[in-house]
Amino acid sequence: MKPTLFTLSFLLFAFISKLPLAFSDDVEQVLDINGNPIFPGGKYYILPAIFGPPGGGVRLGKTGNSKCPVTVLQDYSEVIKGLPVKFSIPGISPGIIFTGTPLDIAFEKKPNCAESSKWLVFVDNHIQKACVGIGGPEDHPGEQTLSGKFHIQKYKRGYKLVFCVSGSPTCLDIGRFDNGEGGRRLNLTEHEPFEVVFVDADFTGGIRTVV
């Protein structure tokens, strides 16, 4: 779908004028909660860095008029780990994931009704926010989708996720927005980033530690 004048104006104003630049100068290897490096192809739960009221892991849900669960939500319940994701470095099969490495993110499995489980960003004009979803443009009819790559950056006790728009020097933090849809949407934000940790979904040695 071609961008509308409203969409372009909203994106330029919100992304460039308001939102903070998301990168730091320090580069380090990204670790899971057990201190092990995360690697492309591994399966990981994305959970809040603080256990408890901040909620649980990320999963998929239906939002707006969608009949398919193609919006990424953070579950309200801290006991829900959500769905495992896989990270991949475009053009590189193994590789090492450092803070700032351009990444594609995809859930391990996809709904039958979606084109793919790969993360993207779409603009929900109803709530006027750029939100994280999956699939392709056909999974978000009537909404503008943005091409770009995700990054991981060190943040406080854990990490934050960042989205960099293709063809733009602007990289934006990913936070949470509660629209009363059974979970909090992940969205590009001008406020507090979503502070996360990564848990190896194949690790059977115990339960996630409390930060």
Side-chain angles (χ1 to χ4, degrees):
M1 173 177 291
K2 293 182 179 180
T4 63
L5 180 60
F6 170 81
T7 300
L8 288 174
S9 299
F10 168 72
L11 291 177
L12 288 173
F13 179 73
F15 293 171
I16 298 174
S17 301
K18 287 187 176 181
L19 294 174
L21 199 60
F23 278 115
S24 65
D25 294 328
D26 297 327
V27 176
E28 59 184 72
Q29 194 164 7
V30 180
L31 308 176
D32 67 16
I33 61 165
N34 293 308
N36 300 315
I38 69 170
F39 289 100
K43 296 182 293 184
Y44 301 93
Y45 294 108
I46 298 177
L47 296 168
I50 301 176
F51 182 79
V58 298
R59 57 174 177 81
L60 289 169
K62 297 178 183 178
T63 59
N65 297 321
S66 177
K67 297 180 180 179
C68 185
V70 291
T71 300
V72 179
L73 303 174
Q74 185 221 1
D75 201 277
Y76 290 134
S77 174
E78 65 271 18
V79 301
I80 301 298
K81 291 183 178 179
L83 300 175
V85 303
K86 290 185 175 183
F87 302 100
S88 60
I89 304 173
I92 301 177
S93 179
I96 299 174
I97 298 178
F98 292 97
T99 53
T101 299
L103 299 170
D104 287 326
I105 304 175
F107 285 111
E108 182 189 9
K109 298 179 180 179
K110 79 173 185 71
N112 291 333
C113 52
E115 177 191 338
S116 75
S117 64
K118 184 178 175 181
W119 286 25
L120 53 62
V121 171
F122 68 95
V123 179
D124 188 325
N125 290 330
H126 180 68
I127 61 173
Q128 295 192 1
K129 291 185 180 295
C131 303
V132 180
I134 64 165
E138 61 274 19
D139 295 304
H140 304 274
E143 297 168 327
Q144 174 70 14
T145 57
L146 303 178
S147 61
K149 299 300 177 186
F150 293 89
H151 299 245
I152 299 170
Q153 287 293 322
K154 190 68 181 172
Y155 181 69
K156 293 184 178 180
R157 305 170 186 83
Y159 299 94
K160 65 180 179 179
L161 298 174
V162 172
F163 181 75
C164 295
V165 182
S166 295
S168 168
T170 306
C171 294
L172 313 167
D173 292 334
I174 294 177
R176 294 169 291 178
F177 173 71
D178 192 349
N179 197 39
E181 297 164 310
R184 304 177 182 94
R185 294 198 194 199
L186 268 58
N187 72 299
L188 305 188
T189 182
E190 59 183 291
H191 302 294
E192 189 73 12
F194 182 22
E195 185 184 356
V196 301
V197 291
F198 306 104
V199 176
D200 189 340
D202 291 325
F203 179 71
T204 58
I207 301 174
R208 160 178 181 252
T209 57
V210 177
V211 178

